[in-house]
Amino acid sequence: MQEFFMDYGLWLLIALLVVIGLVFLLSGKGKSAVAEDPAPVAPPVAAEPIVEPVVAPLVATPDPVPVAEPVIAEPVVVEPVIEEAPAPAPVVEPTPAPIPASPAVAAPADGADDLLKLKGVGPKLGALLTELGVTRYAQIAGWSDSDIAAIDAKLGNFKGRPVRDQWIDQAKYLAAGDIAGFEAKYGKI
């Protein structure tokens, strides 16, 4: 018998606790249902004598009091005041030399493209690319694997983005001016 309790004692204790818990829960439900069932009984009311109400005689009032007519206010149009914010002071930071990895990376002399149109390029990354000398879609479209490695090494927290976001393919569409093809593959600009 002692071996039985040694082997199954813990399980017997758990089963006993479960049975006690069930009894407790079921006994609590029964008491609350019984306590809520009986309807409140009103105490017996003693008969009181009926008293007739006293009616006061009507008194004539002099002239009725004039009632003021409501005043309707006209709506007031308020024009918003727009103040111009002062222009932020330009931040002067030393710019590193552009990366001359290959001719595809060298920046052309004419204007820069809006690199923010590339999916995955935000304001910070766009500024970083501009600092690295990347300003045109044609540059990105002409990158080789060694160019990607050279740029990727300098992107810091944005490392891996050129390959993951497919910048070269996006740049080929935008450099060619194929906005419809770009939007069909990558979504609205």
Side-chain angles (χ1 to χ4, degrees):
M1 183 79 165
Q2 187 175 9
E3 288 178 351
F4 177 79
F5 284 116
M6 292 292 287
D7 292 337
Y8 299 105
L10 180 62
W11 292 108
L12 289 173
L13 181 62
I14 291 172
L16 180 65
L17 289 173
V18 168
V19 169
I20 290 172
L22 287 173
V23 170
F24 177 74
L25 289 174
L26 293 176
S27 66
K29 293 250 183 209
K31 288 181 183 178
S32 66
V34 171
E36 293 174 7
D37 282 345
V41 179
V45 179
E48 294 182 16
I50 298 176
V51 180
E52 296 276 335
V54 178
V55 179
L58 292 176
V59 178
T61 59
D63 294 326
V65 178
V67 177
E69 299 218 9
V71 177
I72 299 174
E74 292 187 26
V76 177
V77 177
V78 178
E79 294 184 22
V81 177
I82 300 174
E83 295 181 18
E84 292 186 27
V91 178
V92 178
E93 295 182 10
T95 57
I99 303 171
S102 73
V105 177
D110 56 339
D113 291 331
D114 184 9
L115 297 178
L116 300 180
K117 289 183 180 179
L118 293 170
K119 300 296 179 180
V121 176
K124 289 183 180 180
L125 187 53
L128 180 61
L129 287 172
T130 303
E131 288 177 11
L132 295 174
V134 179
T135 59
R136 304 285 300 181
Y137 299 132
Q139 288 175 270
I140 298 172
W143 281 352
S144 65
D145 291 340
S146 61
D147 296 329
I148 292 174
I151 292 290
D152 204 20
K154 298 187 187 271
L155 290 180
N157 291 337
F158 301 106
K159 187 173 184 166
R161 298 293 288 276
V163 175
R164 184 174 62 231
D165 294 334
Q166 302 173 353
W167 287 357
I168 295 174
D169 190 42
Q170 291 184 51
K172 285 179 183 177
Y173 281 109
L174 294 173
D178 187 9
I179 303 298
F182 178 86
E183 289 183 348
K185 188 167 184 179
Y186 296 104
K188 283 277 200 192
I189 292 182

